[in-house]
């Protein structure tokens, strides 16, 4: 779309994700356009605005909702602050009449998720949660492969998302801001992926958390979480996420007619999808190669498309709420040492 017809976005919270991934992704988007910045650090924001061709008048602070409301160029606000601060920004943006795209995890409690859904519904604005993998072509190809039944019924899902987190990412180790450790930040990809790929909701979870004693990063939040989710069809998802282990973001799926090995499943780039299957008498491994696309740009364009057409986002607030409920149950299970029914 030409710039005048694109949906105008304000990005709120200029941290690592916003600066390194989201702002550059506007350059690859086809229906979304960056029109404003909202930040608590004015000097940084002004510099970033200059780099992205945003006028100084379109740089706002977190208290400027009256001015944001009055800026007709802003149709949507993309919330990219620490997890526990999402609720306040989403509710304020909806009250200012803006559609909202909110980073994952949606919030840090079921009550906050519900309040965000209610605020957007009351304002008749779209609320989309930024589950980027659901817009990423390889993840979508895996979903199709599982759902179309060509290899039989999938029963086994094995997902790992680990990252050895450096200490400077302070808020991620503060429970009141992050809500938890490895689970809501990176374990969420394993969790959401299982629901996305199967289209089913788990009926039971069994979780375990671990933190290395004495590691200063894990005084408040868990280092590692492992959990099993049981689905009604018999599908079982085994998931592991850790803040203490070298990067590994892979997914495996077992079907009667194929074994799927999906490397970098949850990464920004570098996805590698291999499907081992029987081809007549021979066992073959098909290396699926898809055109690389910037998943942040795809996500932005989906939100823009929903605003232009009135269609409901594929990952609405309810998707974030469902995941929050499951994460709460995983923590409950870890505390009690018992499986928790959903
Ligand atoms: P950063 O710490 O790098 O940035 C957060 C930004 O939020 C800050 O730079 C700041 O921007 C603003 N902010 C406002 N209040 C606070 C506060 N009290 N403490 C710290 N920062 C504050 O975080 P990330 O960019 O890594 O993460 C932001 C969100 O994005 C999180 O919800 C995270 O889960 C999500 N995320 C999603 C990813 C994905 O792949 N989808 C990957 C990484 C993160 P300013 O100075 O402009 O006010």
């Amino acid at each position: 779309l030409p710039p005048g017809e694109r949906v105008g976005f304000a990005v709120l919270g200029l941290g690592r994700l916003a600066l390194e991934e989201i702002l550059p992704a506007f350059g690859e988007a086809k229906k979304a356009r960056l029109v404003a910045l909202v930040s608590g650090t004015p000097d940084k924001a002004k510099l970033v605005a200059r780099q992205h061709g945003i006028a100084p008048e379109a740089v706002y602070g977190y208290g400027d909702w009256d001015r944001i409301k009055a800026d007709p160029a802003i149709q949507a606000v993309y919330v990219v602050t620490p997890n526990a601060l999402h609720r306040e920004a989403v509710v304020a943006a909806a009250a200012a009449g803006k559609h909202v795209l909110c980073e994952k995890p949606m919030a840090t409690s079921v009550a906050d998720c519900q309040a965000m859904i209610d605020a957007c519904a009351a304002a008749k604005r779209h609320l989309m949660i930024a589950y980027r993998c659901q817009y990423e072509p390889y993840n979508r190809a895996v979903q199709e492969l599982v759902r179309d039944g060509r290899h039989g019924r999938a029963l086994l899902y094995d997902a790992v998302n680990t990252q050895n987190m450096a200490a400077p990412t302070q808020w991620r180790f503060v429970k009141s801001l992050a809500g938890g450790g490895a689970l809501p930040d990176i374990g969420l990809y394993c969790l959401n992926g299982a629901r996305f790929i199967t289209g089913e909701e788990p009926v039971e979870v069994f979780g375990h958390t671990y933190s290395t004693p004495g590691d200063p990063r894990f005084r408040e939040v868990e280092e590692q979480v492992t959990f099993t989710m049981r689905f009604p069809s018999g599908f079982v998802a085994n998931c592991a996420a850790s803040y203490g282990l070298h990067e590994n973001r892979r997914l495996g799926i077992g079907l009667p007619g194929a074994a799927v090995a999906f490397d970098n499943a949850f990464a920004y780039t570098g996805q590698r999808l291999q499907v081992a299957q029987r081809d007549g008498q021979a066992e073959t491994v098909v290396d699926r190669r898809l055109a690389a696309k910037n998943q942040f740009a795809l996500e932005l364009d989906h939100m823009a498309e929903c605003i232009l057409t009135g269609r409901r986002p594929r990952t609405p607030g309810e998707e974030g709420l469902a995941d929050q409920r499951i994460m709460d149950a995983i923590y409950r299970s870890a505390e009690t040492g018992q499986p928790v029914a959903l």
Side-chain angles (χ1 to χ4, degrees):
L1 291 179
E5 290 170 31
R6 291 183 178 214
V7 173
F9 280 75
V11 171
L12 181 147
L14 303 178
R16 246 184 104 171
L17 181 72
L19 296 178
E20 292 178 10
E21 305 298 333
I22 295 170
L23 296 187
F26 278 98
E28 293 184 56
K30 294 189 168 61
K31 294 173 183 167
R33 184 164 75 103
L34 179 69
V35 297
L37 301 172
V38 187
S39 168
T41 316
D43 290 347
K44 172 178 63 179
K46 278 182 203 131
L47 192 70
V48 174
R50 255 206 320 275
Q51 284 164 341
H52 288 272
I54 303 293
E57 306 80 66
V59 177
Y60 299 95
Y62 294 128
D64 289 339
W65 288 105
D66 289 342
R67 286 178 51 227
I68 294 169
K69 181 176 183 176
D71 186 341
I74 304 174
Q75 288 164 275
V77 175
Y78 190 168
V79 175
V80 202
T81 49
N83 310 341
L85 306 177
H86 292 173
R87 174 186 174 162
E88 192 185 351
V90 168
V91 170
K98 310 300 180 184
H99 300 284
V100 197
L101 176 56
C102 177
E103 260 311 321
K104 52 50 66 183
M106 182 177 179
T108 54
S109 70
V110 164
D112 281 2
C113 294
Q114 192 61 58
M116 293 154 78
I117 292 170
D118 293 346
C120 292
K124 297 194 164 57
R125 300 289 92 178
H126 288 299
L127 171 58
M128 171 170 148
I129 309 305
Y131 284 107
R132 59 177 168 78
C133 292
Q134 295 206 26
Y135 301 92
E136 190 281 313
Y138 282 88
N139 279 272
R140 295 178 67 80
V142 170
Q143 181 199 45
E144 194 189 314
L145 181 153
V146 167
R147 290 218 205 162
D148 74 6
R150 82 186 93 147
H151 298 294
R153 183 161 61 93
L155 280 179
L156 204 54
Y157 170 104
D158 175 36
V160 174
N161 200 359
T162 62
Q163 196 176 340
N164 200 342
M165 292 291 270
T169 52
Q170 285 299 341
W171 68 262
R172 283 189 166 79
F173 304 127
V174 178
K175 186 149 196 256
S176 61
L177 283 171
L183 177 56
D185 194 27
I186 53 179
L188 180 60
Y189 289 95
C190 308
L191 189 168
N192 187 259
R195 295 180 50 241
F196 165 62
I197 285 168
T198 60
E200 282 187 63
E201 295 299 331
V203 290
E204 185 185 77
V205 295
F206 191 20
H208 180 76
T209 57
Y210 174 77
S211 298
T212 303
D215 190 320
R217 294 173 296 175
F218 309 120
R219 279 194 206 109
E220 295 190 18
V221 301
E222 79 282 356
E223 174 178 359
Q224 182 164 296
V225 62
T226 45
F227 56 98
T228 298
M229 299 190 286
R230 209 163 53 72
F231 290 76
S233 65
F235 186 83
V236 172
N238 278 316
C239 305
S242 176
Y243 267 172
L245 302 175
H246 190 73
E247 244 166 62
N248 190 3
R249 302 184 165 112
R250 66 172 167 72
L251 180 58
I253 300 178
L255 302 107
V260 175
F262 184 14
D263 282 336
N264 290 321
F266 312 120
Y268 298 155
T269 57
Q271 279 75 15
R272 179 152 193 240
L273 178 56
Q274 292 185 307
V275 183
Q277 60 194 79
R278 200 154 266 294
D279 188 4
Q281 290 307 307
E283 174 77 4
T284 61
V285 178
V286 179
D287 213 330
R288 297 272 312 263
R289 298 279 172 89
L290 305 176
K293 285 199 181 139
N294 182 316
Q295 49 192 300
F296 291 96
L298 292 170
E299 170 192 286
L300 285 167
D301 279 340
H302 179 76
M303 178 75 180
E305 174 79 20
C306 289
I307 292 168
L308 291 169
T309 61
R311 222 172 66 204
R312 184 174 157 83
R314 211 187 291 145
T315 53
E318 286 75 4
E319 180 82 354
L321 172 68
D323 282 348
Q324 185 64 46
R325 283 214 174 96
I326 298 165
M327 290 194 289
D328 284 357
I330 291 168
Y331 281 132
R332 232 172 23 251
S333 169
E335 264 164 39
T336 59
Q338 297 298 321
V340 170
L342 290 159

